[in-house]
Amino acid sequence: MLKSLKDLFDRMIAPASESPAEVEHGLQLATAVLLVEVMRSDPEVTDAERHSVVDTLRERFALTADEGSVLLELAERTSREATDLFSFTSRINESFTIEQKVEMIEAMWRVAYADGHLDAHENHVMRRFADLLHVPHGAYANAKMRARGAG
């Protein structure tokens, strides 16, 4: 699985020739990278945040525990090596409906709240992602409240 996700990432430059499975893996990686970016925006990454990312990936993409962990590792490496987030946010914008993007924002908020507190930088990163994903402010605020209530 790690090799197939890595191969997919390497081919993200030419997404027009992707098979349906490659498109799905690309969405999984893009989603995972954004979740990891939220996790990394906290000065101290906790096990609770890591578990929140893996749980979100498993639920969203019907992955096994091992697949979720491998995807998290790949996303962490990809996030560290990425020069920008455009390839990830644009992939999500092209494939997700507004409802799916709001669900994504809510999942990102759950990661931010997983350790029991919200860091100022996490809040800034979340606002930035909502803008990049074209999520209206009202939907963003409602997703934040739902995530905070779930924690």
Side-chain angles (χ1 to χ4, degrees):
M1 165 116 181
L2 178 60
K3 182 178 178 350
S4 67
L5 287 173
K6 173 72 171 115
D7 291 344
L8 172 66
F9 177 67
D10 291 340
R11 288 189 307 267
M12 283 180 77
I13 296 170
S17 62
E18 291 180 326
S19 71
E22 290 172 327
V23 169
E24 179 66 14
H25 285 144
L27 283 172
Q28 290 174 358
L29 181 60
T31 300
V33 166
L34 296 187
L35 291 166
V36 164
E37 283 293 314
V38 172
M39 180 181 76
R40 289 183 42 198
S41 68
D42 189 323
E44 183 180 333
V45 175
T46 66
D47 286 341
E49 291 166 323
R50 293 178 67 74
H51 289 299
S52 181
V53 170
V54 171
D55 290 347
T56 297
L57 294 172
R58 290 185 63 204
E59 179 181 314
R60 173 96 182 139
F61 299 111
L63 302 175
T64 66
D66 287 342
E67 289 170 334
S69 295
V70 168
L71 183 54
L72 172 61
E73 289 174 24
L74 178 61
E76 286 178 306
R77 185 172 57 246
T78 301
S79 175
R80 283 190 303 272
E81 295 171 359
T83 57
D84 66 39
L85 300 172
F86 178 76
S87 63
F88 307 109
T89 58
S90 64
R91 185 175 282 263
I92 289 171
N93 281 326
E94 291 168 3
S95 301
F96 282 19
T97 65
I98 187 65
E99 292 81 12
Q100 290 171 312
K101 290 191 276 185
V102 170
E103 289 172 6
M104 174 84 182
I105 291 293
E106 186 174 342
M108 293 164 78
W109 275 120
R110 284 193 304 271
V111 171
Y113 282 121
D115 63 357
H117 77 279
L118 182 63
D119 183 74
H121 190 61
E122 287 174 309
N123 198 47
H124 169 75
V125 166
M126 287 301 305
R127 183 68 238 161
R128 187 169 134 227
F129 281 141
D131 288 343
L132 291 170
L133 296 175
H134 313 294
V135 173
H137 183 72
Y140 163 83
N142 288 333
K144 181 179 183 178
M145 287 188 301
R146 285 190 304 273
R148 184 173 34 211

